[in-house]
Amino acid sequence: MKTNPPRPTDGELEILTVLWSIGPATVRQVYDVIRRRRPAEYSTTLKFMQIMAAKGLVRRDEKQRAHVYEPTKHREWTQRQLAGDLLERAFSGSAKSLLVGALSARKASPKELAEMRRLLDEYGKETK
Amino acid sequence: MNLFQTFLASPIAGGIGWTLVYSLWEGALISVVFGAALVGFRSPRARYAAACGAMLAMIACFTATLTWTMLAHAQALWPSGRAAVPAWRVLATTTTPVQWQVRLAMVAPWLALFWIVGVSLMYAERIAGCVLARRLQRRGVCCASGYWQDEVARLSARLRISRPVKLLESCLTDVPMVLGHFRPLILMPVGLLAGIPPVQVEAALLHELAHIRRCDYLMNLLQRFTGGLFFYHPAVWWFSRVMRVECENCCDDLAVSISGDAYEYAAALGTLEQNRVNGRVPAMVATGGNLSKRIRRLLSPKPNGALAPLLVAGILLALAPVVWASMAKPMLRRDAPSFGLRDSNGVPISLSRYKGNIVLLNFWATWCAPCTTEIPWYIEFEKKYKAGGLAVIGVALNKDRKAVRRFIAEQKVNYPVTIASNDVKRLYGVNQLPLTLLIDRNGRVADKHIGVVNKENLENEIETLLHQHAGALSHSGQKGEK
């Protein structure tokens, strides 16, 4: 498939997330993960994944009796597609600054990363 | 358009404008104390608490000043409909020319407008952020595996978190995050749980759980919305930054105290950041961050903070005289510019003739309604205190002598009223009416009121001045000039 698949809808995004989380999986496996978060129907999940295969968002491996699905694109590509939303682009930084997490909303510079590695390595050598 | 002008002339606009100006130096003062606290306190918890305290102090000062200035503005009725210098402010600094204050008074309503627009934008941005943040918990997420859910439950028990914590994997975040206060969620970037060593996942989870334990999500929300009010204020940017940094340090300490291995924990932070940089999502901002500092802090031995309280006390003690001196400064008095004018009948009057008396100098005009409300009070003062040494002099800004003469006759004004010259207007900086000065026995300006005076206060001031010994006044005046 040469052309890029379309932007996934929210429902499709959920299925993709499950596939990224647990790796290539059958519809049953995906359905089990989704059901842990919210009530869902097996038939709906199946329908969704068939549509996604048709759109080129997932690839179907039909070698086994139960078909195994895997995403065609990696997470970063999809993230970039979703970031096309103007509202999202304008306010994603703002949304993230409202959350708290282990790392700052900004990325570390390569220089800082090197410094960090050096500190960790030095300490590791000292203690070993 | 009318509404706009009404707003600019309202006490609200003037009050907000002046409050903004005052908040600048209030913030500066709080920063000094806060800076001293930072020098003294080494532990992240104390520093975080200090930053919270500084934030609260800002809010308290802002609210108090706003109430005060709005009341002052509401009391003063301005003839020209413009907001002006609140009387109490002018009272406090009789030494400096009021020119800059008058100019600032013109700008104040516009400052208020600027502030309201700025705050609206800030809040719009934050609310949009909230909406998107809420979407993050429903969009592109799935439940983490049962193994990690149990792990979260186990760790939150060790941290004594009573609320149930849900662990989700999200394809839209790059780093672990906490969302929600009452039903907290931890969002992990999808694939991370399986992609890095379990020890490091545990370290990351501990950090996020520490945030939940400390209610940081709620605190951060409050901080962001408070910060929005002070978007123009560098001191508040500083407090916010310190809060953010120290909050992470607090969580690092809490996490290490549970896991017990600082090195493993620091390595986990490093891996998380590395993972993010390796991702191909374009960086929003490529600079900044404080991760290497945090790692250094984690790996270095803890400094002893026993000296801290002493140091802070010392700095505060050293500061006290400065603060006291700056409070005492407004007591200094400046010579009242002398003038020679003619009254409405053409009889010359000069200020120098009144040396040894307390002079109440009142600038007014017959067309200024608020001014005329004051006149009966001055008639009363003249009657009551003339024997004690008070002399009331009216200076009318009317061009038309006849109108003044008619007014004097109608109101039975019992004190001399002169017609102002341009020189006098300039010397006394008369930009707004009414303007009332109290001049002490040595010919120095003791008080200056712009706007309608508060009769009781003025009377109290007159009595104080009448009772003060002339010699004592000259002494304090000279000391102040040095």
Side-chain angles (χ1 to χ4, degrees):
Chain A
M1 183 164 310
K2 279 279 171 281
T3 54
N4 275 330
R7 216 162 82 171
T9 63
D10 283 4
E12 290 166 353
L13 193 63
E14 183 177 19
I15 290 167
L16 282 174
T17 310
V18 174
L19 289 176
W20 284 316
S21 169
I22 62 175
T26 61
V27 176
R28 168 64 63 184
Q29 284 168 321
V30 171
Y31 165 68
D32 283 342
V33 174
I34 290 175
R35 209 177 40 165
R36 282 221 303 274
R37 196 172 73 87
R38 60 177 179 86
E41 292 285 334
Y42 177 80
S43 55
T44 319
T45 311
L46 176 67
K47 191 87 204 146
F48 258 90
M49 289 178 77
Q50 280 167 348
I51 295 170
M52 284 165 76
K55 278 184 179 175
L57 282 165
V58 293
R59 192 181 298 124
R60 184 166 40 199
D61 180 2
E62 297 173 3
K63 270 182 248 146
Q64 284 151 37
R65 199 174 61 82
H67 296 169
V68 174
Y69 291 79
E70 65 174 322
T72 50
K73 295 286 180 182
H74 46 75
R75 181 170 81 92
E76 286 78 16
W77 181 87
T78 316
Q79 239 181 10
R80 263 205 308 276
Q81 293 299 300
L82 292 167
D85 191 333
L86 185 68
L87 179 82
E88 205 114 332
R89 224 176 334 176
F91 293 109
S92 74
S94 164
K96 283 179 184 163
S97 73
L98 290 170
L99 310 179
V100 285
L103 303 169
S104 59
R106 297 167 168 185
K107 290 190 182 192
S109 63
K111 201 175 132 208
E112 211 191 358
L113 273 180
E115 163 80 359
M116 199 177 70
R117 280 258 79 87
R118 192 182 60 74
L119 283 171
L120 286 170
D121 290 347
E122 269 174 20
Y123 189 85
K125 267 182 224 147
E126 272 170 35
T127 48
K128 268 158 203 165
Chain B
M1 192 60 200
N2 253 338
L3 194 71
F4 181 69
Q5 275 165 350
T6 316
F7 167 75
L8 284 183
S10 70
I12 300 172
I16 292 176
W18 277 99
T19 308
L20 294 177
V21 175
Y22 295 143
S23 80
L24 287 179
W25 67 256
E26 285 164 359
L29 214 65
I30 293 170
S31 307
V32 172
V33 178
F34 176 62
L38 282 194
V39 171
F41 296 141
R42 285 285 118 212
S43 94
R45 283 181 70 172
R47 289 161 79 93
Y48 182 80
C52 285
M55 244 5 185
L56 285 179
M58 278 308 292
I59 300 173
C61 282
F62 191 85
T63 321
T65 316
L66 189 63
T67 321
W68 198 356
T69 46
M70 293 235 284
L71 286 178
H73 271 83
Q75 272 171 10
L77 303 160
W78 303 113
S80 52
R82 281 176 306 180
V85 189
W88 64 270
R89 178 61 187 151
V90 183
L91 249 170
T93 55
T94 48
T95 51
T96 47
V98 291
Q99 199 56 47
W100 68 271
Q101 292 175 339
V102 172
R103 208 165 290 160
L104 211 51
M106 312 274 228
V107 182
W110 294 97
L111 285 180
L113 199 67
F114 159 76
W115 182 74
I116 289 172
V117 170
V119 169
S120 313
L121 287 177
M122 292 288 144
Y123 273 58
E125 189 244 30
R126 279 157 177 72
I127 288 166
C130 277
V131 171
L132 275 191
R134 282 194 68 79
R135 249 165 89 179
L136 269 182
Q137 56 177 287
R138 276 180 285 111
R139 190 153 171 255
V141 292
C142 71
C143 264
S145 69
Y147 171 76
W148 284 115
Q149 298 284 5
D150 294 345
E151 198 63 14
V152 165
R154 188 178 68 80
L155 291 174
S156 49
R158 286 191 67 186
L159 276 163
R160 294 197 301 278
I161 297 168
S162 51
R163 292 161 285 168
V165 181
K166 221 158 136 192
L167 180 67
L168 294 182
E169 285 191 89
S170 160
C171 71
L172 295 174
T173 63
D174 301 329
V175 284
M177 277 175 178
V178 170
L179 204 96
H181 174 69
F182 296 106
R183 275 176 301 164
L185 285 179
I186 298 177
L187 289 183
M188 281 297 231
V190 64
L192 196 75
L193 291 173
I196 63 173
V199 193
Q200 296 193 347
V201 174
E202 197 167 298
L205 286 177
L206 268 175
H207 182 101
E208 303 311 314
L209 286 169
H211 276 308
I212 294 173
R213 160 80 190 278
R214 285 168 37 85
C215 302
D216 282 335
Y217 178 77
L218 194 67
M219 288 302 287
N220 184 47
L221 220 58
L222 288 177
Q223 182 197 333
R224 293 279 299 166
F225 277 90
T226 312
L229 289 178
F230 293 102
F231 68 93
Y232 59 92
H233 207 307
V236 175
W237 304 342
W238 183 34
F239 304 155
S240 282
R241 209 181 56 225
V242 171
M243 259 178 101
R244 216 162 247 267
V245 169
E246 296 306 338
C247 168
E248 296 305 326
N249 284 339
C250 284
C251 288
D252 286 347
D253 285 354
L254 199 55
V256 169
S257 78
I258 298 287
S259 81
D261 189 346
Y263 174 71
E264 200 60 61
Y265 180 78
L269 286 185
T271 311
L272 286 177
E273 187 69 48
Q274 194 95 46
N275 263 19
R276 174 152 75 149
V277 173
N278 286 347
R280 269 166 285 175
V281 185
M284 282 185 299
V285 190
T287 54
N290 55 340
L291 195 60
S292 54
K293 259 192 215 148
R294 269 166 72 194
I295 287 179
R296 184 175 315 211
R297 201 184 69 87
L298 282 168
L299 298 182
S300 64
K302 301 271 177 298
N304 194 344
L307 270 173
L310 279 177
L311 206 61
V312 174
I315 290 171
L316 285 181
L317 271 179
L319 261 169
V322 180
V323 174
W324 187 79
S326 69
M327 304 278 278
K329 218 174 157 190
M331 301 302 290
L332 312 184
R333 292 174 186 175
R334 160 167 296 208
D335 278 335
S338 66
F339 61 81
L341 292 172
R342 285 171 187 280
D343 73 9
S344 50
N345 297 317
V347 181
I349 290 180
S350 77
L351 190 62
S352 53
R353 226 202 305 156
Y354 289 92
K355 208 149 195 177
N357 280 17
I358 308 289
V359 179
L360 191 158
L361 195 61
N362 172 235
F363 291 88
W364 66 289
T366 51
W367 42 258
C368 155
C371 302
T372 54
T373 60
E374 292 181 336
I375 303 287
W377 305 341
Y378 299 144
I379 296 174
E380 188 189 324
F381 290 161
E382 171 80 5
K383 250 186 235 159
K384 202 164 161 189
Y385 297 109
K386 189 169 188 176
L390 178 78
V392 180
I393 304 174
V395 184
L397 266 66
N398 288 68
K399 296 243 159 56
D400 180 11
R401 278 169 192 273
K402 270 184 213 155
V404 177
R405 260 206 298 269
R406 201 162 49 235
F407 185 87
I408 291 173
E410 270 169 21
Q411 298 284 321
K412 301 197 177 68
V413 176
N414 54 356
Y415 53 82
V417 175
T418 66
I419 305 294
S421 66
N422 283 337
D423 281 349
V424 168
K425 271 198 263 182
R426 191 172 42 77
L427 279 171
Y428 282 85
V430 186
N431 288 20
Q432 250 137 16
L433 289 180
L435 173 72
T436 307
L437 292 99
L438 276 178
I439 299 167
D440 69 20
R441 292 186 200 271
N442 292 304
R444 291 165 192 275
V445 178
D447 261 323
K448 188 165 187 171
H449 295 267
I450 298 180
V452 177
V453 296
N454 179 315
K455 192 188 165 197
E456 257 169 54
N457 286 354
L458 191 69
E459 194 163 356
N460 284 340
E461 279 164 32
I462 291 170
E463 280 181 1
T464 324
L465 282 173
L466 286 172
H467 287 120
Q468 266 172 351
H469 190 256
L473 279 174
S474 81
H475 181 66
S476 73
Q478 274 163 10
K479 208 167 74 182
E481 272 170 14
K482 273 176 196 170

